[in-house]
Amino acid sequence: MRVLLTGHQGYLGTVMAPVLTAAGHEVVGLDSGLFADSVLGPQPADPPGVRVDLRDITAEHVAGVDAVIHLAALSNDPLGSLAPELTYDINHHASVRLARLARDAGVQRFLYASTCSVYGASGGDGLVTEDAPLRPVTPYAESKVRVEDDLHALADGDFTPVFMRNATAFGYSPRLRADIVLNNLVGHALLSGEVLVLSDGTPWRPLVHAADIARAFTAALTAPREAVHDRAFNIGSEINNVTVAEIADQVAEAVAGAKVVITGENGADPRSYRVDFSRFRNAIPGFDCEWTVKQGALELADAYRKFDLTREAFEQRFTRLAVLRAATDAGTVDDTLRWRR
Protein backbone atom coordinates (compact mmCIF):
# COMPACT_ATOMS: atom_id res chain seq x y z
CA MET A 1 0.00 0.00 0.00
CA ARG A 2 1.28 3.49 -0.86
CA VAL A 3 0.84 5.62 2.26
CA LEU A 4 1.16 9.38 2.60
CA LEU A 5 2.44 10.08 6.12
CA THR A 6 2.06 13.73 7.12
CA GLY A 7 4.30 14.89 9.93
CA HIS A 8 6.89 12.24 9.09
CA GLN A 9 9.66 14.41 10.58
CA GLY A 10 7.87 14.82 13.89
CA TYR A 11 8.04 12.96 17.18
CA LEU A 12 5.48 10.29 16.23
CA GLY A 13 6.15 10.24 12.49
CA THR A 14 9.82 9.44 12.98
CA VAL A 15 8.83 6.34 14.97
CA MET A 16 5.93 5.37 12.71
CA ALA A 17 7.63 5.54 9.30
CA PRO A 18 9.97 2.55 9.85
CA VAL A 19 7.13 0.52 11.38
CA LEU A 20 5.02 1.09 8.28
CA THR A 21 7.95 0.25 5.99
CA ALA A 22 8.68 -2.95 7.92
CA ALA A 23 5.03 -3.94 7.40
CA GLY A 24 5.59 -3.75 3.63
CA HIS A 25 4.07 -0.36 2.86
CA GLU A 26 5.57 2.26 0.57
CA VAL A 27 5.78 5.41 2.68
CA VAL A 28 5.84 8.93 1.26
CA GLY A 29 6.46 11.67 3.79
CA LEU A 30 5.11 15.20 3.93
CA ASP A 31 6.29 17.71 6.53
CA SER A 32 6.97 21.43 6.86
CA GLY A 33 10.27 20.61 8.58
CA LEU A 34 9.78 22.88 11.58
CA PHE A 35 11.08 20.20 13.96
CA ALA A 36 13.26 18.21 11.56
CA ASP A 37 16.41 19.23 13.45
CA SER A 38 15.10 18.34 16.90
CA VAL A 39 17.18 15.16 16.94
CA LEU A 40 18.59 13.33 19.97
CA GLY A 41 20.95 10.56 18.93
CA PRO A 42 21.69 9.35 15.40
CA GLN A 43 20.08 11.19 12.50
CA PRO A 44 16.94 9.22 11.54
CA ALA A 45 16.63 7.74 8.06
CA ASP A 46 13.50 9.42 6.74
CA PRO A 47 11.38 7.94 3.95
CA PRO A 48 11.23 9.82 0.64
CA GLY A 49 9.16 12.93 1.15
CA VAL A 50 8.40 16.53 0.35
CA ARG A 51 8.79 19.64 2.49
CA VAL A 52 5.57 21.59 2.26
CA ASP A 53 3.32 23.44 4.67
CA LEU A 54 0.10 21.58 5.41
CA ARG A 55 -1.82 24.68 4.34
CA ASP A 56 -0.27 24.50 0.87
CA ILE A 57 -1.04 20.90 -0.05
CA THR A 58 -2.42 20.33 -3.55
CA ALA A 59 -4.05 17.43 -5.35
CA GLU A 60 -0.61 16.47 -6.65
CA HIS A 61 0.50 15.48 -3.15
CA VAL A 62 -2.24 12.85 -2.79
CA ALA A 63 -2.18 11.54 -6.36
CA GLY A 64 -1.55 7.79 -6.54
CA VAL A 65 -1.90 7.34 -2.77
CA ASP A 66 -3.90 4.44 -1.30
CA ALA A 67 -4.12 5.78 2.26
CA VAL A 68 -3.26 8.87 4.29
CA ILE A 69 -2.00 8.84 7.87
CA HIS A 70 -2.41 12.40 9.07
CA LEU A 71 -0.20 13.28 12.05
CA ALA A 72 0.89 16.83 11.17
CA ALA A 73 -0.45 19.49 13.54
CA LEU A 74 0.44 22.12 16.08
CA SER A 75 0.75 19.39 18.58
CA ASN A 76 0.10 20.29 22.19
CA ASP A 77 -2.00 22.49 24.43
CA PRO A 78 0.50 25.29 25.23
CA LEU A 79 1.42 25.58 21.55
CA GLY A 80 -2.22 25.64 20.51
CA SER A 81 -3.08 28.30 23.06
CA LEU A 82 -0.20 30.52 21.92
CA ALA A 83 -2.05 31.41 18.72
CA PRO A 84 -5.53 29.83 18.65
CA GLU A 85 -6.29 31.21 15.19
CA LEU A 86 -3.25 29.36 13.79
CA THR A 87 -4.30 26.20 15.59
CA TYR A 88 -7.67 26.27 13.86
CA ASP A 89 -6.13 27.28 10.52
CA ILE A 90 -3.59 24.45 10.54
CA ASN A 91 -5.12 21.72 12.68
CA HIS A 92 -8.70 22.15 11.52
CA HIS A 93 -9.10 23.86 8.15
CA ALA A 94 -5.93 22.50 6.51
CA SER A 95 -6.66 18.98 7.78
CA VAL A 96 -10.17 18.97 6.34
CA ARG A 97 -8.89 20.36 3.06
CA LEU A 98 -6.33 17.53 2.92
CA ALA A 99 -9.10 14.99 3.52
CA ARG A 100 -11.24 16.45 0.72
CA LEU A 101 -8.32 16.37 -1.70
CA ALA A 102 -7.60 12.77 -0.68
CA ARG A 103 -11.21 11.69 -1.16
CA ASP A 104 -11.40 13.39 -4.55
CA ALA A 105 -8.15 11.65 -5.57
CA GLY A 106 -9.56 8.23 -4.76
CA VAL A 107 -7.75 7.65 -1.47
CA GLN A 108 -9.67 4.93 0.32
CA ARG A 109 -8.55 5.23 3.94
CA PHE A 110 -7.72 8.31 6.02
CA LEU A 111 -6.31 7.69 9.50
CA TYR A 112 -6.59 10.84 11.57
CA ALA A 113 -4.45 11.41 14.66
CA SER A 114 -6.98 12.73 17.14
CA THR A 115 -6.50 12.78 20.90
CA CYS A 116 -7.99 11.68 24.20
CA SER A 117 -7.80 15.36 25.13
CA VAL A 118 -11.22 15.68 23.51
CA TYR A 119 -12.59 14.28 26.82
CA GLY A 120 -10.75 17.07 28.69
CA ALA A 121 -13.11 17.81 31.55
CA SER A 122 -14.76 14.41 31.85
CA GLY A 123 -13.53 13.58 35.36
CA GLY A 124 -15.54 11.05 37.36
CA ASP A 125 -14.56 7.58 38.48
CA GLY A 126 -15.62 5.60 35.41
CA LEU A 127 -13.63 4.83 32.28
CA VAL A 128 -14.38 7.12 29.35
CA THR A 129 -15.50 5.37 26.17
CA GLU A 130 -15.60 6.75 22.64
CA ASP A 131 -19.31 7.48 23.09
CA ALA A 132 -18.75 9.83 26.04
CA PRO A 133 -19.53 13.54 25.68
CA LEU A 134 -16.62 15.52 24.28
CA ARG A 135 -15.53 18.34 26.59
CA PRO A 136 -12.37 19.90 25.13
CA VAL A 137 -10.87 22.67 27.26
CA THR A 138 -8.11 23.93 24.91
CA PRO A 139 -7.94 25.18 21.31
CA TYR A 140 -5.83 22.11 20.46
CA ALA A 141 -8.47 19.67 21.65
CA GLU A 142 -11.29 21.74 20.17
CA SER A 143 -9.59 21.68 16.76
CA LYS A 144 -9.49 17.88 16.92
CA VAL A 145 -13.21 17.69 17.65
CA ARG A 146 -13.98 19.95 14.69
CA VAL A 147 -11.90 17.80 12.33
CA GLU A 148 -13.61 14.62 13.50
CA ASP A 149 -17.02 16.19 12.81
CA ASP A 150 -16.03 17.34 9.33
CA LEU A 151 -14.37 14.04 8.39
CA HIS A 152 -17.49 12.19 9.48
CA ALA A 153 -19.43 14.27 6.96
CA LEU A 154 -17.00 13.20 4.21
CA ALA A 155 -17.31 9.45 4.86
CA ASP A 156 -18.94 7.46 2.09
CA GLY A 157 -18.76 4.11 0.38
CA ASP A 158 -15.35 4.85 -1.09
CA PHE A 159 -13.73 6.98 1.63
CA THR A 160 -13.08 5.63 5.12
CA PRO A 161 -11.97 8.09 7.78
CA VAL A 162 -10.79 6.60 11.09
CA PHE A 163 -10.40 8.71 14.22
CA MET A 164 -7.45 7.53 16.32
CA ARG A 165 -7.81 9.22 19.69
CA ASN A 166 -4.31 8.76 21.06
CA ALA A 167 -3.61 8.92 24.76
CA THR A 168 -0.75 11.21 25.81
CA ALA A 169 2.35 9.90 24.09
CA PHE A 170 5.61 9.00 25.78
CA GLY A 171 8.88 7.27 24.99
CA TYR A 172 12.06 7.81 23.06
CA SER A 173 11.98 9.01 19.47
CA PRO A 174 15.02 10.16 17.48
CA ARG A 175 13.09 13.43 17.13
CA LEU A 176 12.48 13.90 20.79
CA ARG A 177 9.72 15.89 22.43
CA ALA A 178 10.41 17.04 25.99
CA ASP A 179 7.10 18.88 26.46
CA ILE A 180 4.93 15.83 27.17
CA VAL A 181 4.50 14.63 30.70
CA LEU A 182 6.64 11.48 31.08
CA ASN A 183 9.40 12.68 28.75
CA ASN A 184 9.48 15.97 30.63
CA LEU A 185 9.56 14.49 34.13
CA VAL A 186 12.37 12.05 33.27
CA GLY A 187 14.42 14.91 31.83
CA HIS A 188 13.93 17.05 34.93
CA ALA A 189 14.83 14.11 37.17
CA LEU A 190 18.13 13.49 35.37
CA LEU A 191 19.12 17.13 34.97
CA SER A 192 18.08 18.47 38.38
CA GLY A 193 17.57 15.47 40.65
CA GLU A 194 13.93 16.46 41.10
CA VAL A 195 10.75 15.05 39.56
CA LEU A 196 9.01 18.41 39.37
CA VAL A 197 5.19 18.40 39.28
CA LEU A 198 3.59 21.83 39.03
CA SER A 199 -0.01 20.65 39.43
CA ASP A 200 -1.36 19.04 42.60
CA GLY A 201 -0.65 15.61 41.11
CA THR A 202 -4.24 14.38 41.25
CA PRO A 203 -5.36 14.58 37.57
CA TRP A 204 -5.69 11.30 35.73
CA ARG A 205 -3.76 10.87 32.50
CA PRO A 206 -3.97 8.05 29.94
CA LEU A 207 -0.53 7.42 28.45
CA VAL A 208 0.68 5.42 25.43
CA HIS A 209 4.15 4.77 23.99
CA ALA A 210 4.99 6.23 20.58
CA ALA A 211 5.83 2.74 19.32
CA ASP A 212 2.40 1.43 20.36
CA ILE A 213 0.75 4.32 18.51
CA ALA A 214 2.76 3.34 15.43
CA ARG A 215 1.65 -0.29 15.77
CA ALA A 216 -1.98 0.76 16.19
CA PHE A 217 -2.00 2.93 13.07
CA THR A 218 -0.30 0.18 11.09
CA ALA A 219 -2.98 -2.29 12.21
CA ALA A 220 -5.82 0.12 11.39
CA LEU A 221 -4.40 0.70 7.93
CA THR A 222 -5.24 -2.82 6.75
CA ALA A 223 -8.09 -3.74 9.10
CA PRO A 224 -11.37 -4.80 7.43
CA ARG A 225 -13.27 -1.73 6.33
CA GLU A 226 -16.36 -2.68 8.33
CA ALA A 227 -14.30 -2.80 11.51
CA VAL A 228 -13.00 0.77 11.30
CA HIS A 229 -15.14 2.76 8.85
CA ASP A 230 -16.02 6.21 10.24
CA ARG A 231 -15.29 5.09 13.81
CA ALA A 232 -13.41 6.66 16.71
CA PHE A 233 -10.94 4.59 18.71
CA ASN A 234 -9.16 5.36 21.94
CA ILE A 235 -5.52 4.28 21.51
CA GLY A 236 -3.72 3.12 24.63
CA SER A 237 -4.03 0.66 27.50
CA GLU A 238 -5.98 0.77 30.76
CA ILE A 239 -2.84 -0.16 32.69
CA ASN A 240 -1.42 3.24 31.70
CA ASN A 241 -4.31 5.22 33.16
CA VAL A 242 -2.33 6.90 35.93
CA THR A 243 -2.38 10.06 38.03
CA VAL A 244 0.35 12.63 37.52
CA ALA A 245 1.62 11.80 41.01
CA GLU A 246 1.86 8.12 40.06
CA ILE A 247 3.81 9.06 36.92
CA ALA A 248 6.21 11.04 39.10
CA ASP A 249 6.71 8.04 41.40
CA GLN A 250 7.53 5.82 38.40
CA VAL A 251 10.10 8.37 37.24
CA ALA A 252 11.70 8.49 40.68
CA GLU A 253 12.09 4.71 40.54
CA ALA A 254 13.67 4.89 37.08
CA VAL A 255 16.11 7.67 37.98
CA ALA A 256 18.02 6.66 41.09
CA GLY A 257 18.30 9.44 43.66
CA ALA A 258 15.61 11.64 42.13
CA LYS A 259 13.13 13.18 44.55
CA VAL A 260 9.47 13.84 43.78
CA VAL A 261 8.52 17.49 44.32
CA ILE A 262 4.83 18.35 43.92
CA THR A 263 4.52 22.13 44.13
CA GLY A 264 0.84 22.50 43.27
CA GLU A 265 1.61 26.02 42.06
CA ASN A 266 -0.55 25.61 38.97
CA GLY A 267 -3.48 24.33 41.02
CA ALA A 268 -5.89 21.61 39.97
CA ASP A 269 -5.83 20.76 36.27
CA PRO A 270 -9.31 20.51 34.68
CA ARG A 271 -7.99 17.91 32.22
CA SER A 272 -8.56 14.68 34.12
CA TYR A 273 -9.90 11.46 32.65
CA ARG A 274 -9.40 7.69 32.64
CA VAL A 275 -10.03 5.97 29.35
CA ASP A 276 -11.48 2.68 28.11
CA PHE A 277 -9.40 1.27 25.23
CA SER A 278 -11.34 -1.92 24.59
CA ARG A 279 -13.05 -0.86 21.35
CA PHE A 280 -9.81 -0.92 19.35
CA ARG A 281 -8.74 -4.28 20.82
CA ASN A 282 -12.13 -5.71 19.85
CA ALA A 283 -11.90 -4.26 16.33
CA ILE A 284 -8.32 -5.48 15.82
CA PRO A 285 -8.09 -8.95 17.40
CA GLY A 286 -4.65 -9.65 18.81
CA PHE A 287 -3.67 -6.01 19.23
CA ASP A 288 -2.56 -4.73 22.61
CA CYS A 289 -0.09 -2.14 23.79
CA GLU A 290 3.32 -3.45 24.79
CA TRP A 291 4.80 -0.59 26.83
CA THR A 292 4.10 0.42 30.43
CA VAL A 293 4.85 3.80 31.97
CA LYS A 294 7.63 2.24 34.05
CA GLN A 295 9.29 0.71 30.98
CA GLY A 296 9.02 4.04 29.18
CA ALA A 297 10.64 5.91 32.06
CA LEU A 298 13.57 3.48 32.06
CA GLU A 299 13.91 3.72 28.27
CA LEU A 300 13.94 7.51 28.35
CA ALA A 301 16.45 7.68 31.18
CA ASP A 302 18.78 5.34 29.29
CA ALA A 303 18.44 7.35 26.05
CA TYR A 304 18.98 10.69 27.79
CA ARG A 305 22.18 9.38 29.38
CA LYS A 306 23.41 7.61 26.26
CA PHE A 307 22.97 10.66 24.03
CA ASP A 308 24.15 13.22 26.62
CA LEU A 309 20.99 15.27 26.95
CA THR A 310 21.82 18.79 28.14
CA ARG A 311 19.61 21.28 29.92
CA GLU A 312 19.83 23.71 27.01
CA ALA A 313 18.72 21.06 24.52
CA PHE A 314 16.00 19.80 26.86
CA GLU A 315 14.50 23.25 27.38
CA GLN A 316 15.07 24.69 23.89
CA ARG A 317 15.67 22.17 21.11
CA PHE A 318 13.10 19.58 22.28
CA THR A 319 10.33 21.89 23.51
CA ARG A 320 7.93 22.82 20.72
CA LEU A 321 7.08 26.30 21.91
CA ALA A 322 10.75 27.21 22.42
CA VAL A 323 11.70 25.93 18.95
CA LEU A 324 9.08 28.05 17.24
CA ARG A 325 9.83 31.13 19.31
CA ALA A 326 13.52 30.81 18.47
CA ALA A 327 12.72 30.44 14.77
CA THR A 328 10.43 33.49 14.73
CA ASP A 329 12.92 35.55 16.76
CA ALA A 330 15.66 34.62 14.28
CA GLY A 331 13.43 35.57 11.35
CA THR A 332 13.55 32.16 9.70
CA VAL A 333 9.84 31.63 10.35
CA ASP A 334 7.17 34.35 10.15
CA ASP A 335 4.39 34.96 12.65
CA THR A 336 2.11 32.55 10.77
CA LEU A 337 4.72 29.77 11.23
CA ARG A 338 5.66 29.73 7.57
CA TRP A 339 9.29 29.57 6.45
CA ARG A 340 10.59 32.86 5.12
CA ARG A 341 12.06 32.47 1.66
Side-chain angles (χ1 to χ4, degrees):
M1 186 179 292
R2 183 175 170 86
V3 180
L4 177 66
L5 177 64
T6 75
H8 75 288
Q9 292 181 316
Y11 171 70
L12 291 179
T14 302
V15 174
M16 192 176 297
V19 174
L20 292 167
T21 300
H25 301 293
E26 178 188 356
V27 180
V28 179
L30 187 149
D31 201 294
S32 66
L34 288 172
F35 305 105
D37 296 330
S38 296
V39 174
L40 181 68
Q43 186 70 26
D46 295 326
V50 293
R51 178 163 289 192
V52 63
D53 191 290
L54 186 64
R55 292 163 288 187
D56 298 329
I57 288 177
T58 67
E60 180 182 356
H61 294 114
V62 291
V65 169
D66 301 304
V68 172
I69 294 180
H70 182 36
L71 306 179
L74 292 181
S75 57
N76 67 355
D77 293 330
L79 193 58
S81 299
L82 174 68
E85 68 283 0
L86 284 180
T87 298
Y88 294 122
D89 190 23
I90 296 170
N91 290 10
H92 176 209
H93 300 299
S95 294
V96 176
R97 181 169 173 274
L98 168 64
R100 289 197 181 101
L101 287 171
R103 185 189 64 172
D104 293 346
V107 172
Q108 297 180 352
R109 193 160 298 191
F110 191 98
L111 304 189
Y112 176 59
S114 190
T115 173
C116 285
S117 293
V118 296
Y119 306 120
S122 294
D125 295 326
L127 296 180
V128 177
T129 71
E130 290 85 351
D131 297 322
L134 305 184
R135 298 189 176 100
V137 297
T138 64
Y140 169 70
E142 175 65 28
S143 72
K144 296 292 187 177
V145 173
R146 293 185 184 186
V147 174
E148 287 195 20
D149 288 344
D150 289 346
L151 292 187
H152 170 69
L154 294 177
D156 60 26
D158 299 313
F159 183 70
T160 292
V162 187
F163 317 114
M164 306 287 277
R165 294 178 182 167
N166 300 318
T168 299
F170 68 85
Y172 172 71
S173 165
R175 287 192 175 93
L176 181 70
R177 283 189 63 188
D179 53 7
I180 40 183
V181 61
L182 185 63
N183 298 12
N184 184 267
L185 292 179
V186 174
H188 271 295
L190 277 170
L191 295 168
S192 71
E194 292 185 343
V195 187
L196 187 63
V197 178
L198 300 181
S199 73
D200 61 7
T202 61
W204 286 95
R205 287 288 184 274
L207 269 60
V208 62
H209 196 284
D212 284 327
I213 293 176
R215 292 175 51 248
F217 274 73
T218 303
L221 198 59
T222 55
R225 180 180 181 276
E226 61 273 14
V228 298
H229 178 73
D230 197 24
R231 300 186 73 191
F233 295 100
N234 297 328
I235 305 301
S237 173
E238 287 81 2
I239 197 173
N240 291 333
N241 279 319
V242 286
T243 66
V244 175
E246 289 171 339
I247 298 171
D249 288 339
Q250 295 280 16
V251 173
E253 289 186 21
V255 181
K259 177 184 177 182
V260 176
V261 178
I262 298 180
T263 70
E265 63 190 77
N266 288 349
D269 191 327
R271 299 167 301 165
S272 182
Y273 43 88
R274 293 188 299 150
V275 177
D276 183 320
F277 298 100
S278 61
R279 177 185 287 184
F280 192 70
R281 290 195 301 269
N282 292 335
I284 313 290
F287 178 86
D288 207 350
C289 290
E290 296 178 349
W291 286 82
T292 65
V293 172
K294 182 176 182 179
Q295 290 169 333
L298 290 168
E299 177 205 32
L300 286 161
D302 287 345
Y304 290 174
R305 292 189 188 101
K306 179 179 179 181
F307 300 125
D308 298 320
L309 179 69
T310 66
R311 180 173 293 279
E312 185 279 332
F314 178 70
E315 295 178 350
Q316 299 297 321
R317 190 148 50 95
F318 302 123
T319 297
R320 292 296 189 253
L321 198 52
V323 170
L324 294 183
R325 280 178 169 161
T328 53
D329 289 346
T332 56
V333 172
D334 67 22
D335 58 6
T336 68
L337 303 184
R338 291 183 182 274
W339 291 105
R340 293 187 187 275
R341 295 191 183 278

